[in-house]
Amino acid sequence: MCGICCVVSLSSSQCTLHNHVYERLRHRGPDHSQDITREVSDPEYACLFSAHVLHMRGSPTPQPLQDDDGNLLLWNGEVFGGLTVQLEENDTKVILDHLSMCKSPSDVLSILGQVKGPWAIIYYQKEEHCIWFGRDFFGRRSLLLSWGSDQSSFTLTSVSSRSLGVGSSNCLEVPAVGVYRMDLKSWSKTNNLKVEVYPWGYLDSDFSWEGLPGSISFVKTDSGLVLSPRVPPMNMSITGVEPKSCQSGQTSTDNLKELLKRPGQQETVRCLIDVLGEAIRRRVEHLPDRSNPNGAQVAVLFSGGIDSMILAVLADRYVPLDQPIDLLNVAFKLQESKMNQGSGKKGRKKEHDDVAAKLRPRFDVPDRITGRDGLQELASLSPSRKWNFVEINVTQEELRDKRAENICHLVHPLDTVLDDSIGCAMWFAARGTGFVSEGAGERQHRSTAKVVLTGIGADEQLAGYSRHRVRFKSSGLQGLVEELAMELGRISSRNLGRDDRIIADHGKEARFPYLDEDVVSFLNTLPVWEKADLSLPRGFGEKLLLRLTAVELGLGPSAVLPKRAMQFGSRIAKLENSREKASEKCTRLSSS
Ligand SMILES: *[C@@H]1O[C@H](CO)[C@@H](O)[C@H](O)[C@H]1NC(C)=O
Ligand SMILES: *[C@@H]1O[C@H](CO)[C@@H](O)[C@H](O)[C@H]1NC(C)=O
Ligand SMILES: *[C@@H]1O[C@H](CO)[C@@H](O)[C@H](O)[C@H]1NC(C)=O
């Protein structure tokens, strides 16, 4: 993961980067920082390229990387497939070698379209006076566009800061609907910055560019060129549904084992294990040497729920057995007053509850409890692995401080209550500072893992959310499959840019195995009824395919846990005003 940034301006005096943004970029790439400026007189413009590298593979490659013709590349990504990158090679170098040879826009698109893996890119073509930028098909890496009040300079950056300008209206996430080409020559001549959009194949690229200043316009290319996505469209077929001979009300792992015996079922499950296992292998292998020889290189954002359990079990196959794996489990402290707010219980019962609440450790939130159970399951499946179950306890004071200091800038330009809760929970979890139980006591633990695996994408693809049940009830399988296709399309703007900014702030890299191109391709070819059966009860029917996979992998009770969203599982939502709506604008983000 890296922090990349480019400021373009019509006058060199305005071609500067705010300290505050520079510092945030450095958090993302603590291993090497470098700035390059270009001042061009005909046509007249200036560019500042600022790159901050987190070293993940090959030998460290300083960025911005230049070729012999003066083209410049800023690459925040990982090539996990598509283009060949030898083990000891820099993927940044490989990408630039390919781009240097491009003669036309269609060449550039064909290179970027081939890459499998997450990326955000800024590429300056000297001869053409243009800048290419964009994000991968799912938008797994952040890229923001912001502008100053006078509109004579624009900034592309991995992360920004709330404190610049008023409100969020001068900053937006670059939509992951395609790649973009910015023509600096015509800008310099006309004062109007024209950005051409080359869309991803079948994606709906009719994005509404609200809030843009008048001097910038985005237009879909009239060349007809598109990028070909590496994943096929979702299978929308709802015919041929196979009835499940499962009586409702039976929701145990034994029932899952029964379902696994249906014809063809085990093959599907094994295919998923192969493709997901391979995605995880590519994400945990060949990491740079550890700074601490006893520390973990790989961590999992861990609630003990089925998505994170499967990540842990499969990571266990590919992480060398002499290395620990960190399981990062976050909990927010319940306030005394909130703990006692019962449902108006009176008398002895209430007294009894109060005493029980006092005795209960205040960090024993739902995810902590399922996390501990999950740890037991993992320890019995793989007893010789050292599993560090990292208990990350966050107090309200610390939450307030870190939100004001860091998190509100990282979430920006997103701004809802939900962005705030998930952003905060994820920031503390990914930081990985907490305690690990040892015998009767506990010791301080600071995770050294640079790779953080997260389960995002499982619920969106396998119908894990309660809104999927609502949709299924109201409009059946047809409604459900439409909902899933829509959600996968908007996952970049809802989650991924934000999650990348949050996790990268610790100099760590978020990796999303459920959003690997091959995993999504496999899931997209399956009909919806293979992924979930929402006529079956909660904790069983949603993500049914994943539950069957868990059983096949030897997991027990965690296979039938119902979904609990991070903001509830970690109890951060309880800590704050519980009456506010998730989609409301969060006042805590702007007042801090
Ligand atoms: C990686 O990139 C750096 C900078 O371009 C270069 O010096 C180094 O030789 C490259 N390493 C490999 C293995 O290609
Ligand atoms: C963290 O919370 C857990 C409860 O889940 C508790 O057992 C542990 O003692 C707490 N540790 C610290 C240092 O607060
Ligand atoms: C969609 O699923 C159905 C049922 O399994 C299958 O027959 C069909 O080939 C699939 N379509 C695509 C495009 O994968």
Side-chain angles (χ1 to χ4, degrees), residues 438-451:
E438 218 169 41
E442 46 192 1
R443 67 177 161 81
Q444 266 268 340
H445 182 90
R446 177 179 282 269
S447 176
T448 49
K450 277 190 177 178
V451 167

Side-chain angles (χ1 to χ4, degrees), residues 54 287 290-302 323-329 386-392 426-436 443-453 503 505-509:
L54 175 69
L287 299 174
R290 287 176 287 177
S291 47
N292 166 2
N294 302 316
Q297 283 186 300
V298 174
V300 183
L301 286 191
F302 188 76
Q323 285 181 22
I325 294 179
D326 286 346
L327 306 171
L328 308 177
N329 184 271
K386 184 163 181 223
W387 298 98
N388 290 324
F389 181 65
V390 188
E391 303 190 28
I392 298 160
M426 204 172 269
W427 190 87
F428 282 102
R431 185 170 67 159
T433 304
F435 297 86
V436 171
R443 67 177 161 81
Q444 266 268 340
H445 182 90
R446 177 179 282 269
S447 176
T448 49
K450 277 190 177 178
V451 167
V452 179
L453 300 178
I503 294 175
D505 191 53
H506 302 293
K508 301 180 180 193
E509 182 159 298

Side-chain angles (χ1 to χ4, degrees), residues 361-365 368 372 391 393 435 442:
R362 300 235 225 114
F363 291 101
D364 267 357
V365 303
R368 181 61 50 84
R372 280 205 198 100
E391 303 190 28
N393 298 348
F435 297 86
E442 46 192 1

Side-chain angles (χ1 to χ4, degrees), residues 44 93 138 161 273 324 382 385 459 500 517 527 531 545:
E44 191 176 351
K93 181 94 175 26
F138 298 116
S161 163
I273 293 175
S382 180
R385 164 82 57 196
D459 288 311
D500 171 51
E517 279 81 352
K531 304 180 209 178
L545 179 60

Side-chain angles (χ1 to χ4, degrees), residues 396-415:
Q396 188 149 30
E397 297 71 42
E398 202 183 0
L399 171 61
R400 208 175 292 138
D401 290 351
K402 296 302 178 196
R403 178 191 283 123
E405 203 180 304
N406 293 306
I407 302 165
C408 73
H409 301 296
L410 302 168
V411 170
H412 182 69
L414 304 193
D415 61 2

Side-chain angles (χ1 to χ4, degrees), residues 267-326:
E267 286 71 59
T268 309
V269 163
R270 288 198 178 143
C271 281
L272 179 57
I273 293 175
D274 285 350
V275 74
L276 188 59
E278 181 61 18
I280 291 174
R281 184 185 66 72
R282 283 195 295 263
R283 283 164 177 76
V284 303
E285 276 189 354
H286 310 306
L287 299 174
D289 289 338
R290 287 176 287 177
S291 47
N292 166 2
N294 302 316
Q297 283 186 300
V298 174
V300 183
L301 286 191
F302 188 76
S303 65
I306 178 170
D307 311 349
S308 60
M309 286 296 284
I310 288 181
L311 292 183
V313 172
L314 290 175
D316 179 57
R317 292 188 175 179
Y318 304 107
V319 173
L321 204 52
D322 63 348
Q323 285 181 22
I325 294 179
D326 286 346

Side-chain angles (χ1 to χ4, degrees), residues 72 134 140 167 192 194 364 419 456 475 481 514 537 583 588:
L72 276 170
R140 287 163 288 186
N192 286 311
K194 199 180 109 188
D364 267 357
D419 293 318
I456 182 121
S475 13
V481 72
Y514 291 106
S583 57
R588 289 179 296 283

Side-chain angles (χ1 to χ4, degrees), residues 235 237 525 527 529:
N235 188 335
S237 155
T525 56
W529 47 267

